């Protein structure tokens, strides 16, 4: 992932416009930043960190400039890997947002034809293909993946672009045309913007031309325009009042990205490592621990293996004795910086364990310490309450478990392909359902506004989801909530189930739990408790989207709970994105 912001102007323009655009796109990633502008030749400047920490990069004037802010998914976050990336001659500079799946084959064939590749990115194949005389339309057929790219060439006062699945918009200002990754970043630069259609390419020029072509080269006649109407205060949040809400709405897109971000060869390798393990542990904290708990069911049902889930804070004291050669530790941390995880990983390594890291941050300590790491590629998550990284971690662990199953011969390649298809079709239907889920969550949030406590109840694979829902209510809504196993409710906690005490029940998907579910529900009804049902039934107070397979039900069930926690926090006027006394990563 990354953010693109470019201009093409009739008269020279200050580079600070690119700085401003990239600052607004920082939410798309910010491990490094770079800009190319046309002078007599192409000038490229790059640095580590976000745009606003590198204002010096933008002290230039030019008629044509192209900037990028990066979230690394292929290739470590380094200055060399920062965009723009040049071809061998330095005459083409390219930026990209997204991933190219077939980049390894392309890189080796380019190298065998004598190209000098100096980064470890997938983006680098583009400048070299262009150097060989390929055009933007050829890129659409040569590259597989989900991406948008933009480039400038020396001696050509245009910014070229190719859109194959990642958003691009074009705004027309007084003297300039702008190309950007989202509408809000154009606020103040243009009043209206054209949405670049998927599977198209084109250019904006310093002389004021805007051209868009379909993959077959024919001009696109009908282009959709949208008004740029965002308030300056909400720019980084793409119009949402909080990052948490924005990140929940990004879940479907993030799930799709996770399937592209995880490379087949590393999934296979990790699957083989786990299959061959004498003993396997999953470690993590908080939300990542809950993801690990859900995945124990995946490893059992898809991979046919049992795996122990231990809090990374407890691991050194209670599990380390059983760690030795032949042990595999699957370490899960969205930030990759959580000290409990890093400490446990280092101790396990000293005892000869192999570490498979699952993280959202390439270049993090966990990625560095792991023998193999799997980047979940959910995109930057800025709200302290983790949401889209939870669901993307679930998909990453689901695919890993399926690869264990593949190695074990439990699952065929066709069944694995079906799993990928189900994840993609589910993420599309989740995107459609999100506004309706949000509306239902808002309504219930009004009822919970003054509640002090709640239970979140479920069993089986959705019990960890109940724990996660309770954690979100604590963090975002500052409402004391406890996750309880459905069967355990009758063994004590039921004492509070009366009157207005909210009991949020995620209906288990497992058929075997049906009898238990009806028994507990009739007891709750008899006590006239305030039950809020979460399930895919149309009768449910919080209707979850239909999951095409049981493994996806935890994701379907958690989205309504995340939205509920957000909406209660919103009703209460809380600082949802940064709850008091909490940090995004606990590194001490
Ligand atoms: C939950 C939350 C924390 C983290 C935990 C682990 O919303 O933010 O519970 O999940 O501190 O963080 P990572 O996954 O970065 O290791």
């Amino acid at each position: 992932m990354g953010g693109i912001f470019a201009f093409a102007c009739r008269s020279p323009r200050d580079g600070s416009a690119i700085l401003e655009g990239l600052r607004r796109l920082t939410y798309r990633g910010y491990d490094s930043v770079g800009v190319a502008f046309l002078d007599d030749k192409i000038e490229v400047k790059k640095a580590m960190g976000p745009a606003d920490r590198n204002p010096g990069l933008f002290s230039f004037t030019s008629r044509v400039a192209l900037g990028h802010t990066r979230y690394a998914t292929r290739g470590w976050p380094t200055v060399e890997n920062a965009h723009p990336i040049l071809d061998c001659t330095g005459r083409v500079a390219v930026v990209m947002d997204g991933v190219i799946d077939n980049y390894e084959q392309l890189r080796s064939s380019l190298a065998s034809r004598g190209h000098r590749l100096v980064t470890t990115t997938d983006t680098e194949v583009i400048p070299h293909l262009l150097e060989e005389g390929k055009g933007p339309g050829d890129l659409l057929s040569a590259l597989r993946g989900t991406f948008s790219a933009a480039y400038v060439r020396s001696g050509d006062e245009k910014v070229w672009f190719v859109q194959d699945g990642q958003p691009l918009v074009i705004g027309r200002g007084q003297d300039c045309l702008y190309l950007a990754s989202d509408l809000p970043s154009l606020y103040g630069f243009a009043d209206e913007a054209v949405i670049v259609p998927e599977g198209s390419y084109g250019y904006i020029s310093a002389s004021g031309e805007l051209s868009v072509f379909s993959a077959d080269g024919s001009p696109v006649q009908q282009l959709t325009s949208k008004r740029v109407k965002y308030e300056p205060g909400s720019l980084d949040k793409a119009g949402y009042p909080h990052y948490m809400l924005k990140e929940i709405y990004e879940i479907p897109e993030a799930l799709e990205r996770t399937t592209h971000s995880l490379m087949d060869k590393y999934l296979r390798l990790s699957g083989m490592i786990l299959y061959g393990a004498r003993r396997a542990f999953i470690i993590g904290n908080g939300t990542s621990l809950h993801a690990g708990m859900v995945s124990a069911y995946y490893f059992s049902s898809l991979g046919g293996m049992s795996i122990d889930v231990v809090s990374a804070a407890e691991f050194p004291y209670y599990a380390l004795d059983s760690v030795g050669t032949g042990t595999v530790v699957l370490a899960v941390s969205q930030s990759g910086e959580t000290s409990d995880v890093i400490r446990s990983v280092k101790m396990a390594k000293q005892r000869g364990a192999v570490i498979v890291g699952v993280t959202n941050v390439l270049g993090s300590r966990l990625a560095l310490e792991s023998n193999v790491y799997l980047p979940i590629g959910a995109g930057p998550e800025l709200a302290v309450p983790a949401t889209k990284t939870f669901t993307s971690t679930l998909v990453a662990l689901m695919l890993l478990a399926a690869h264990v199953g593949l190695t074990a011969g439990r699952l065929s390649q066709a069944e694995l392909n079906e799993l990928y298809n189900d994840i993609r079709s589910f993420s599309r239907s989740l995107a459609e359902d999100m506004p309706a889920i949000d509306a239902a969550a808002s309504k219930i949030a009004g009822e919970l506004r003054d509640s002090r406590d709640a239970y979140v109840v479920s069993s089986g694979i959705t019990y960890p989801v109940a724990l996660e829902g309770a954690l979100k209510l604590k963090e975002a809504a500052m409402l004391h909530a406890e996750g309880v196993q459905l069967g355990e409710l009758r063994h004590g906690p039921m004492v509070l189930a009366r009157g207005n005490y909210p009991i949020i029940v995620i209906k288990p998907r497992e058929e075997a739990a049906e009898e238990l579910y009806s028994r507990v529900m009739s007891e709750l009804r008899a006590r006239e408790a305030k039950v809020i049902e979460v399930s895919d039934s149309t009768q449910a107070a919080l209707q979850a989207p239909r999951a095409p397979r049981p493994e996806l039900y935890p994701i379907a069930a958690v989205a309504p709970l995340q939205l509920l926690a957000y909406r209660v926090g919103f009703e209460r006027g809380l600082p949802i994105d940064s709850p008091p006394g909490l940090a995004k990563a606990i590194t001490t």
Side-chain angles (χ1 to χ4, degrees):
M1 198 177 177
I4 297 172
F5 196 89
F7 64 62
C9 304
R10 287 184 199 278
S11 42
R13 167 126 219 209
D14 201 275
S16 58
I18 302 285
L19 168 62
E20 182 53 23
L22 293 183
R23 198 188 61 70
R24 296 169 180 187
L25 292 167
T26 303
Y27 75 88
R28 301 179 70 84
Y30 48 87
D31 54 60
S32 56
V33 61
V35 63
F37 57 94
L38 293 185
D39 208 344
D40 288 340
K41 54 186 181 51
I42 295 179
E43 298 282 348
V44 172
K45 297 190 197 178
K46 314 200 247 193
M48 295 303 289
D52 56 6
R53 250 195 267 145
N54 293 287
L57 250 55
F58 304 94
S59 50
F60 63 84
T61 50
S62 178
R63 277 161 44 108
V64 174
L66 168 62
H68 186 263
T69 181
R70 181 170 186 242
Y71 165 78
T73 51
R74 298 274 202 276
W76 225 243
T78 60
V79 175
E80 292 71 40
N81 286 345
H83 305 192
I85 296 174
L86 293 164
D87 69 329
C88 297
T89 65
R91 295 170 60 82
V92 186
V94 178
V95 301
M96 188 189 72
D97 168 23
V99 285
I100 296 170
D101 291 333
N102 57 336
Y103 80 101
E104 286 190 311
Q105 301 93 295
L106 289 169
R107 278 182 72 97
S108 30
S109 62
L110 283 162
S112 69
R113 296 201 291 275
H115 289 272
R116 212 165 22 86
L117 292 124
V118 294
T119 78
T120 51
T121 64
D122 45 357
T123 306
E124 193 172 13
V125 299
I126 302 176
H128 295 286
L129 287 171
L130 294 168
E131 182 190 345
E132 288 188 344
K134 300 264 188 307
D138 302 322
L139 295 179
L140 284 169
S141 48
L143 307 178
R144 277 205 316 275
T146 310
F147 67 94
S148 65
Y151 60 92
V152 289
R153 290 173 167 282
S154 55
D156 179 15
E157 287 196 310
K158 294 187 180 93
V159 179
W160 289 87
F161 57 83
V162 180
Q163 207 276 34
D164 204 2
Q166 284 294 96
L168 278 179
V169 293
I170 296 167
R172 190 182 283 280
Q174 270 195 336
D175 198 34
C176 301
L177 282 161
Y178 300 92
L179 175 75
S181 290
D182 74 10
L183 274 177
S185 64
L186 290 176
Y187 187 83
F189 292 108
D191 296 332
E192 241 187 28
V194 164
I195 312 296
V196 178
E198 191 169 328
S200 70
Y201 68 88
Y203 62 83
I204 53 173
S205 78
S207 56
E209 276 174 281
L210 154 60
S211 295
V212 185
F213 305 92
S214 309
D216 62 8
S218 58
V220 178
Q221 307 291 2
Q222 288 273 312
L223 287 165
T224 312
S225 292
K226 288 220 163 140
R227 276 190 61 71
V228 180
K229 54 168 189 238
Y230 294 83
E231 292 306 318
S234 66
L235 284 173
D236 297 347
K237 296 178 188 129
Y240 290 91
H242 293 94
Y243 284 115
M244 183 177 173
L245 186 63
K246 172 175 168 286
E247 287 157 5
I248 296 172
Y249 271 83
E250 281 172 354
I251 286 174
E253 184 197 330
L255 294 180
E256 180 97 32
R257 260 207 318 273
T258 303
T259 62
H260 290 289
S261 179
L262 295 167
M263 294 173 69
D264 210 46
K265 65 175 182 183
Y266 295 117
L267 280 169
R268 270 175 201 272
L269 177 62
S270 311
M272 283 193 282
I273 291 172
L274 277 161
Y275 178 66
R278 274 222 291 262
R279 178 105 195 245
F281 290 97
I282 304 179
I283 62 167
N285 296 106
T287 295
S288 292
L289 176 62
H290 298 154
M293 288 168 77
V294 172
S295 78
Y297 290 85
Y298 299 156
F299 284 102
S300 164
S301 67
L302 298 169
M305 71 180 283
S306 77
I307 188 159
D308 293 315
V309 189
V310 186
S311 155
E314 302 282 298
F315 184 80
Y317 316 117
Y318 303 108
L320 207 57
D321 281 350
S322 2
V323 173
T325 317
T327 305
V328 178
V329 174
L330 181 54
V332 182
S333 169
Q334 66 78 23
S335 64
E337 299 293 344
T338 298
S339 55
D340 287 329
V341 175
I342 303 301
R343 187 159 47 113
S344 299
V345 158
K346 284 185 174 163
M347 287 173 163
K349 267 170 88 175
Q350 268 170 6
R351 289 173 155 263
V354 173
I355 312 297
V356 178
V358 177
T359 181
N360 195 34
V361 183
L362 213 65
S364 61
R365 285 198 293 164
L366 177 59
L368 288 165
E369 290 288 344
S370 301
N371 298 92
V372 191
Y373 63 87
L374 300 172
I376 66 169
E381 187 176 67
L382 301 180
V384 169
T387 53
K388 65 173 177 171
T389 52
F390 177 68
T391 44
S392 280
T393 302
L394 289 184
V395 160
L397 294 172
M398 194 185 301
L399 291 172
L400 177 54
H403 278 81
V404 176
L406 194 70
T407 312
R410 279 174 69 91
L411 218 71
S412 66
Q413 185 60 48
E415 285 167 319
L416 181 64
N417 296 345
E418 217 175 289
L419 175 61
Y420 274 98
N421 288 340
D422 283 348
I423 294 168
R424 289 182 183 135
S425 72
F426 171 70
S427 60
R428 282 192 288 275
S429 67
L430 179 59
E432 277 167 28
D433 291 350
M434 204 63 99
I437 305 171
D438 195 6
S442 302
K443 187 167 162 276
I444 296 167
E447 297 164 24
L448 296 191
R449 191 177 192 280
D450 299 319
S451 302
R452 287 185 44 200
D453 308 276
Y455 287 146
V456 189
V457 183
S458 197
S459 83
I461 195 170
T462 39
Y463 168 58
V465 176
L467 295 178
E468 178 57 14
L471 179 61
K472 290 297 92 112
L473 282 167
K474 280 179 262 205
E475 290 178 313
M478 295 194 69
L479 188 154
H480 169 251
E482 201 181 316
V484 183
Q485 269 173 346
L486 190 64
E488 287 299 318
L489 197 62
R490 303 163 64 231
H491 297 277
M494 195 64 108
V495 70
L496 298 175
R498 59 188 72 247
N500 243 354
Y501 195 96
I503 305 188
I504 302 162
V505 185
I506 310 168
K507 186 174 182 204
R509 167 104 176 213
E510 294 90 348
E511 253 172 50
E514 244 164 50
E515 196 208 318
L516 173 66
Y517 177 75
S518 354
R519 206 165 352 119
V520 174
M521 288 302 265
S522 25
E523 241 178 87
L524 288 172
R525 269 194 289 271
R527 287 163 181 259
E528 295 181 352
K530 184 178 173 55
V531 176
I532 298 157
E533 184 189 314
V534 181
S535 77
D536 57 13
S537 146
T538 48
Q539 307 303 311
L542 265 179
Q543 195 186 341
R546 254 207 59 70
R549 55 167 69 221
E551 289 86 0
L552 289 166
Y553 186 54
I555 300 178
V558 84
L561 294 176
Q562 293 170 336
L563 283 165
L564 179 64
Y566 171 79
R567 289 292 169 194
V568 178
F570 189 82
E571 283 276 328
R572 293 181 170 189
L574 293 171
I576 297 170
D577 285 335
S578 39
L582 282 184
K584 187 72 182 151
I586 312 296
T587 54
T588 50

